[in-house]
Amino acid sequence: MCNSNNDSCNSPLNKWTFLSKCDIMDLDTEELLELYNMKKQLKKENAILQEHIENFYHIWTNDKGVFLSYLPDSTKPKGRKPVTATTKEKLERKIIDFYLEREQKKENQKEQERLTTLRNIYSLWLNIKGLETNATSYIRRIDNDWNAYYTTDPIIDMDIRTFTKAILKEWALNKVRDKELTKTQYYNMSMIIRQCLDYAVDHELIPLNPYNQFTVDKKLLKKVKQPEDGTQVFLTNERPLIECEAWADFEEKGCTSALAIPLAFQLGVRLGELIAIKETDISPDGKYLHIQRMVQKQERQRPDGSWYPARWEAVEHTKSSAGDRMIYLTKEARRIIKTIIDSNKENGFYDDGFLFIHGGKRINPRAVDTRIRKYCDHINISSKSTHKIRKTYISSLLDGGININEIRKQVGHEDERTTLKNYCFNRKTSVENESDMEKALAI
């Protein structure tokens, strides 16, 4: 057995000599692998030296006993440069190292050449993107956009070093026109090429990102028609009917997931946050609820680029830093929660403290979204998702005169502009609006 502490094992060459003299049966697996790799490396170095002597320059000594040879150098007049050493072994080492370094440079150059198209950069960039987020559904959306806008476009096989501001601007304008892109669609589409080129700059493949040197005029983007208020919130005459459907469903079937809907009208939380509520999130006095986790889709990509079926998992964080918050529980919210907890205890349902359980396991968001669409169909109104409940909640608070910053904090928005721009809608019916107009304009 070889002893790694033996002085004869200090240098790579001596270690090779020592290991090679050992009985192969005395070597362990690690030493056998090391011996194999050493043999492979020595064989390669001997081949390099042999080729140098046979095809290029021999080795000789001068009258001072110095060992000499030449190395190829295209910058010199004769295409070569001298190399010397005090011993033959040192000279051979210099020659071998020269060719190994040159080979490594060629390999690095090949790798760099390989990374000069969007097609090859995309997967590397997407991997980095995946490390920056816990939302795997976001990565899948990016991949869907790549398939929709890029996979059949010749630009992904062009050398990115040939990209100019003019070339990319013309490409972007054609894409906007051909695909009739909206502002959001253009942002999602262009984000891929822009950030792939940023990746190329970071890795010194190109000096700057030409896509950052221009903008597309917003007037060229397809306008999105503002949605009707009645499609974005539950009107004042619709909400009571929806809640009535939910309570009737609970009383008939005993399924607490039906009560997620009236509770959502009281909390205004995101659907993923609603499903992830636990009993322990309720404050000791019962008046506040700590929103600190959510249920989200977890998606994994197969090696061939396709995706495994998505799974819903609870994660111990919210959508953003503003999402981790304490929200007020109204008396009605407390009543609904007590009903849910009592029902779970009566039926012996428990799953890690989660509030909404069916069949002994936490429900997934689809169960709630499917129910509310069914209720919409029952009362004969247009289909609306649970996200429209969140919009209804915010619009109700605004109508009630609650301070906008307080509303922002309650719903977990970073900026009040998001609250006002995307969640403020009129909940009243046309008859109520007419009556209000009459009152407002009366003399």
Side-chain angles (χ1 to χ4, degrees), residues 267-284:
L267 303 182
V269 295
R270 300 175 179 91
L271 179 54
E273 296 171 341
L274 180 69
I275 302 303
I277 294 173
K278 292 185 177 183
E279 291 183 42
T280 52
D281 296 330
I282 302 169
S283 64

Side-chain angles (χ1 to χ4, degrees), residues 330-345:
T330 62
K331 291 180 180 179
E332 177 62 10
R334 288 175 238 167
R335 182 180 78 86
I336 297 170
I337 291 174
K338 184 178 184 305
T339 302
I340 295 169
I341 292 174
D342 289 346
S343 177
N344 287 338
K345 287 180 180 178

